[in-house]
Amino acid sequence: MGVAIAAMVTAVVGVLGTLLSPLVAQRSAARQRAEDAAAAERRRGFEERRDAYTAMNRASRQFHTLLKDALHRIRDGVYTQEERTLVEETRRDYRDRYAEAQMIVPQRVLAASRELNAVLAQADAAAKRLDRGMAAPGETAESALDHLRTAEPKLTELQHLMRADLGIAD
């Protein structure tokens, strides 16, 4: 009787294995699809942040450079309409990149970008007032340039934070 029972148990296990193997395979495939989807989402998020960081870094540095040039040219009395237009277009591009980044960057990067934005916005406003001959009391191109120099370490700090968020070690 022991042999008959062993044969019966073996048959039952074989049938259960045959019946359950598609379920196990299906669950395994579903788990793999979920892991693949999660990995793809992480990669998409990383690429989205990297693209936003690249655009924001480029736009903020370009805006900073053009503001510095504008203030020098205002000081020297040689600021042209073409340069005004270029600064305004660059400001708009910077504003757009800044707004896009606000939606996807972590709080520490956002805080650093706000600090930089405040300096650049103040310098832009000063340049416009100086250009129109409506400077605030004591405001000069040199004082605006001095203030704009405070953006340089903020640009560097923002770049370091963005690189760190992307996992790039220095």
Side-chain angles (χ1 to χ4, degrees):
M1 204 61 142
V3 173
I5 292 176
M8 182 69 79
V9 168
T10 302
V12 168
V13 169
V15 169
L16 286 176
T18 301
L19 293 174
L20 292 177
S21 69
L23 293 174
V24 170
Q26 181 183 7
R27 293 193 86 187
S28 177
R31 184 177 20 233
Q32 185 62 46
R33 282 192 304 274
E35 288 173 6
D36 290 348
E41 181 62 26
R42 282 191 302 274
R43 175 167 282 316
R44 188 189 63 72
F46 173 83
E47 290 172 356
E48 188 176 66
R49 277 193 337 275
R50 184 192 61 210
D51 292 346
Y53 288 165
T54 300
M56 194 163 91
N57 185 57
R58 180 195 47 76
S60 60
R61 289 182 180 279
Q62 179 71 7
F63 188 38
H64 174 261
T65 298
L66 289 178
L67 282 173
K68 186 170 32 171
D69 292 348
L71 288 166
H72 282 290
R73 295 183 67 75
I74 289 169
R75 179 196 62 202
D76 298 342
V78 293
Y79 194 48
T80 67
Q81 183 58 43
E82 183 178 312
E83 291 163 327
R84 287 179 193 94
T85 302
L86 182 58
V87 169
E88 184 59 21
E89 288 170 357
T90 303
R91 183 192 67 77
R92 287 182 184 146
D93 181 55
Y94 166 72
R95 180 200 60 205
D96 292 346
R97 300 308 138 239
Y98 177 75
E100 289 169 2
Q102 285 179 318
M103 298 297 108
I104 62 172
V105 304
Q107 191 59 41
R108 66 187 176 282
V109 174
L110 190 56
S113 69
R114 279 188 194 120
E115 290 179 21
L116 173 61
N117 187 56
V119 174
L120 295 176
Q122 289 170 2
D124 183 48
K128 287 176 180 170
R129 285 190 301 271
L130 289 163
D131 184 40
R132 293 179 183 133
M134 302 177 73
E139 187 174 54
T140 65
E142 281 305 320
S143 67
L145 281 165
D146 285 343
H147 179 71
L148 184 58
R149 284 184 190 98
T150 66
E152 292 167 14
K154 293 178 186 326
L155 282 164
T156 301
E157 176 63 19
L158 179 60
Q159 180 186 36
H160 287 298
L161 287 170
M162 290 186 297
R163 289 172 55 88
D165 184 50
L166 294 175
I168 301 168
D170 287 334

